[in-house]
């Protein structure tokens, strides 16, 4: 299934995308695409519904973040070997874990706002993992049983806040609008094997990132297991798993986002995002 949330900001409703690309409303079956609604039993119940029996949403609507009420937004850094080489960093021996503020989460096509005082806002197309079944100290062999599905994440980052303001990466990762999620959550059964998905990102039509999940250093099961050794995972938590080469900081000379730019992101099987960059 391709599950989604639609409607105005803060008042999103749950839905799914049918085989014809139409949005169907799920409000009679779940109150939101969050928490317990992402557990296996509920997903199986939703999968058994004939989409044609659900109300169709006519006209254009805003897509919200594909997961609501996210408890933790966890990011894995330097997780692509070709990206680590590009930025002249050693391949990490363990996953590098940081947190993005949940207040950074936005819709897949919402504007990205350059925060006051930043001149080095950058892009990162990433594969997001949505936790379905919570747990702690999860065995790697069981880790995929805890995954509800996958989505696109744009891990927008203010490099000056991240690297020039005291060395705390979270400051450059958690600004408002710096975490677009979606357009939909593709359930694990539909997404299948995500270890070899092409992914790319363009700015104003120029392709800067053009990579694949096959160059990830740590796979999904290993990441979920590893993170659960440091913090319990709950239904609806999101883990974004790193980016391939080509972000703005790595360009020669570096290229950063400016008001008026448009980012366009794609990951095979997971859809596309498009964001306009605006000033604060």
């Amino acid at each position: 299934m391709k599950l989604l949330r639609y409607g105005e900001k803060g008042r999103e409703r749950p839905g799914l995308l049918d085989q014809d690309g139409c949005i169907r409303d799920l409000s009679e079956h779940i109150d939101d695409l969050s928490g317990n609604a992402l557990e296996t039993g509920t997903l199986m119940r939703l999968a058994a519904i004939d989409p044609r029996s659900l109300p169709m949403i006519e006209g254009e609507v805003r897509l919200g973040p594909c997961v609501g009420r996210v408890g933790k937004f966890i990011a894995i850094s330097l997780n692509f070997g070709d990206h680590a080489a590009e930025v002249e960093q050693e391949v990490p021996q363990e996953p590098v874990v940081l947190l993005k503020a949940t207040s950074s989460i936005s819709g897949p096509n919402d504007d990205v706002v350059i925060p006051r005082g930043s001149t080095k806002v950058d892009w990162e197309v990433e594969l997001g993992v949505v936790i379905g079944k919570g747990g702690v100290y999860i065995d790697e062999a069981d880790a995929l049983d805890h995954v509800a599905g996958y989505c696109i994440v744009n891990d927008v980052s203010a490099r000056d806040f991240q690297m020039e303001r005291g060395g705390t990466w979270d400051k450059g990762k958690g600004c408002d609008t710096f975490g677009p999620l979606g357009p939909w959550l593709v359930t694990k059964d539909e997404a299948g094997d995500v270890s070899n998905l092409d992914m790319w990102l363009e700015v104003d039509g120029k392709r800067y990132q053009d990579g694949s999940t096959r160059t990830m250093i740590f796979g999904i099961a290993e990441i979920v297991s590893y993170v659960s050794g440091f913090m319990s995972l709950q239904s609806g938590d999101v883990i974004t798993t790193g980016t391939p080469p080509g972000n703005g900081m790595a360009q020669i000379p570096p290229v950063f986002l400016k008001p008026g730019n448009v980012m366009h992101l794609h990951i095979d099987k997971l859809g596309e995002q498009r964001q306009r960059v605006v000033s604060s």
Side-chain angles (χ1 to χ4, degrees), residues 254-267:
V255 176
F256 297 111
L257 294 166
K258 295 179 173 58
N261 289 154
V262 175
M263 291 179 282
H264 185 194
L265 296 72
H266 168 94
I267 300 181

Side-chain angles (χ1 to χ4, degrees), residues 216-227:
M216 289 173 66
I217 298 164
F218 305 105
I220 303 304
E222 186 173 2
I223 289 170
V224 171
S225 174
Y226 183 85
V227 171

Side-chain angles (χ1 to χ4, degrees), residues 218-258:
F218 305 105
I220 303 304
E222 186 173 2
I223 289 170
V224 171
S225 174
Y226 183 85
V227 171
S228 77
F230 297 94
M231 62 193 83
S232 61
L233 296 173
Q234 282 86 39
S235 301
D237 286 349
V238 177
I239 305 175
T240 187
T241 59
T243 197
N247 59 26
M249 181 175 63
Q251 305 301 311
I252 302 174
V255 176
F256 297 111
L257 294 166
K258 295 179 173 58

Side-chain angles (χ1 to χ4, degrees), residues 178-218:
F178 274 22
L181 301 182
W184 19 83
L185 186 166
V186 181
T187 53
K188 184 175 55 179
D189 59 311
E190 179 159 336
D193 181 9
V194 297
S195 64
N196 188 16
L197 300 181
D198 290 339
M199 54 200 306
W200 51 258
L201 181 147
E202 298 175 347
V203 179
D204 294 344
K206 178 176 179 177
R207 186 160 299 186
Y208 285 95
Q209 292 190 277
D210 198 354
S212 169
T213 57
R214 67 177 174 271
T215 66
M216 289 173 66
I217 298 164
F218 305 105

Side-chain angles (χ1 to χ4, degrees), residues 141-157:
D142 302 325
L144 293 184
D145 294 338
H146 292 258
V147 174
Y150 305 95
C151 66
I152 301 175
V153 178
N154 189 355
D155 180 16
V156 185
S157 307

